[in-house]
Amino acid sequence: MANSTEAQKPQNTKKNKKKGATLDTFYGAKIQNTEQIEDNIQENAPKPSKGNGNSQQTHEEFESEMTKKMEAFWEEKWEMMQKKFTHLQNRYDETEKENQALKARIRQLEDNDRVKEQELIKQSQNTKKLEENINYLTDKVIDLENRGRRDNLRIIGLPEKPEINTKLDMVIQDIIKENCPEILEQGGNTATDRAHRTPSTLNPQKTTPRNVIAKFQSYQTKEKILQEARKRQFRYKGMPIRVTQDLASSTLNDRKAWNMIFRKARELGLQPRINYPAKLTIYFQGKVWAFNKIEDFQLFAKKRPELCGKFDTENQRARNT
């Protein structure tokens, strides 16, 4: 009876014990908890038989076998973990290499940007120098062109008629006789090398006559005629004409920009004059003031109550454009 009672105790213990919850190992591997393992050991343990003296040895062999199985199980799991760790390590190394490559690429791009920025600065400096050289050469060419025209006079308002166009040299002599005969009386050389209309072809849509350019053989004679033309209105057979110095087209445009200011300054008694190449001079408060640009004159007029508001340079600029 004693043996039967002892044989029943493991069974009651099994019934009273509850199944333990499973543990989640790394990467989804599931193992049984300690209580479950003990239950499996007790279930699979050989039942001691009556009168069998080898029951203790059989139980030890079973425990040894189960220990080996558990060791084999954990070794397998450990190998799996090592493989996963190795895989992650490899992924980390690859990511690190990619990161280093990206950093190197970024440094290269930054270096390239710095190089390009330096090149851009150099190009800007070179462009500025080229612009300065172009402006200098342009001014030089205009000055040379103006000096090449120093013997020329421009006659404005001479009627556009065939009898005049075919005999321009004779017409110019008639103008001199009519307006400044003293030059002829003094024996001045009034001969011209050439006289022609400009532009060379007539624009039928333009109602005003083309200008006449006359090149004199004597610079002194040309200057005397020009001085007389500044003093009074010239005429040709009673018709008013205007005689001015012949200059490059760009210089004439620069002088034309002063027209409104010039007329207003004359009305105010400021004695305006346009000096070479396109500089305005006025006589104000006992001094002679010179201006190379309209903006300079505008600032000057704003600071003087006597002139402020009397020169509408904005409207003049709008008309010229």
Side-chain angles (χ1 to χ4, degrees), residues 283-308:
Y283 186 78
F284 179 70
Q285 294 181 349
K287 296 181 181 179
V288 177
W289 303 84
F291 307 94
N292 292 317
K293 296 180 180 180
I294 294 178
E295 291 78 7
D296 298 337
F297 179 83
Q298 187 177 8
L299 292 175
F300 175 83
K302 285 182 179 180
K303 295 179 181 179
R304 271 69 180 178
E306 300 90 339
L307 304 178
C308 184

Side-chain angles (χ1 to χ4, degrees), residues 69-310:
K69 289 182 178 181
M70 291 181 66
E71 289 176 353
F73 172 79
W74 284 112
E75 286 178 359
E76 181 182 357
K77 296 302 179 185
W78 176 251
E79 290 178 357
M80 291 176 61
M81 291 171 60
Q82 283 184 329
K83 290 180 180 179
K84 292 289 185 180
F85 178 77
T86 303
H87 176 71
L88 289 175
Q89 185 66 35
N90 294 335
R91 290 292 302 275
Y92 173 79
D93 293 340
E94 292 176 359
T95 305
E96 185 66 20
K97 289 179 181 179
E98 292 178 356
N99 188 25
Q100 294 298 330
L102 290 174
K103 288 182 179 179
R105 181 61 177 168
I106 290 172
R107 285 194 296 269
Q108 183 180 2
L109 291 175
E110 290 176 350
D111 294 339
N112 292 338
D113 288 340
R114 281 192 291 269
V115 171
K116 290 181 180 179
E117 185 176 357
Q118 293 175 356
E119 291 179 353
L120 182 61
I121 293 173
K122 291 181 180 179
Q123 290 179 357
S124 299
Q125 294 174 350
N126 293 334
T127 301
K128 185 177 180 181
K129 290 181 180 179
L130 289 174
E131 290 177 352
E132 292 175 353
N133 291 336
I134 290 173
N135 293 333
Y136 170 77
L137 293 174
T138 301
D139 294 339
K140 197 70 174 177
V141 169
I142 293 173
D143 181 67
L144 290 173
E145 183 178 357
N146 288 330
R147 294 184 184 279
R149 295 170 181 259
R150 64 195 303 269
D151 296 334
N152 298 355
L153 284 179
R154 183 180 291 262
I155 303 172
I156 304 171
L158 196 63
E160 190 85 40
K161 295 180 180 180
E163 59 272 19
I164 294 177
N165 293 341
T166 56
K167 300 178 181 180
L168 287 175
D169 292 335
M170 298 178 60
V171 170
I172 292 171
Q173 297 299 322
D174 293 340
I175 293 173
I176 296 173
K177 291 178 183 179
E178 184 176 351
N179 295 276
C180 45
E182 62 275 8
I183 296 177
L184 295 175
E185 294 173 358
Q186 295 172 1
N189 182 12
T190 60
T192 57
D193 286 337
R194 184 181 178 185
H196 64 279
R197 294 274 187 178
T198 180
S200 57
T201 57
L202 178 64
N203 185 1
Q205 297 179 353
K206 192 173 182 180
T207 57
T208 58
R210 293 174 293 170
N211 296 344
V212 174
I213 307 298
K215 179 177 176 60
F216 286 82
Q217 293 180 357
S218 173
Y219 172 77
Q220 290 78 13
T221 301
K222 188 267 311 183
E223 282 294 313
K224 290 179 181 180
I225 297 172
L226 186 61
Q227 290 175 4
E228 294 296 326
R230 289 171 178 169
K231 295 178 183 178
R232 60 182 181 272
Q233 177 72 60
F234 271 33
R235 294 180 178 275
Y236 174 69
K237 296 182 178 181
M239 294 179 296
I241 59 174
R242 190 156 63 94
V243 178
T244 64
Q245 174 67 47
D246 180 38
L247 296 169
S249 59
S250 59
T251 304
L252 290 175
N253 291 333
D254 292 339
R255 289 192 169 199
K256 185 178 179 182
W258 290 107
N259 283 351
M260 188 278 298
I261 295 176
F262 187 90
R263 288 194 295 269
K264 190 65 179 179
R266 178 180 289 175
E267 293 175 4
L268 297 175
L270 300 178
Q271 303 176 16
R273 289 193 64 180
I274 302 295
N275 294 334
Y276 180 83
K279 179 166 59 177
L280 174 71
T281 61
I282 60 172
Y283 186 78
F284 179 70
Q285 294 181 349
K287 296 181 181 179
V288 177
W289 303 84
F291 307 94
N292 292 317
K293 296 180 180 180
I294 294 178
E295 291 78 7
D296 298 337
F297 179 83
Q298 187 177 8
L299 292 175
F300 175 83
K302 285 182 179 180
K303 295 179 181 179
R304 271 69 180 178
E306 300 90 339
L307 304 178
C308 184
K310 295 182 180 180

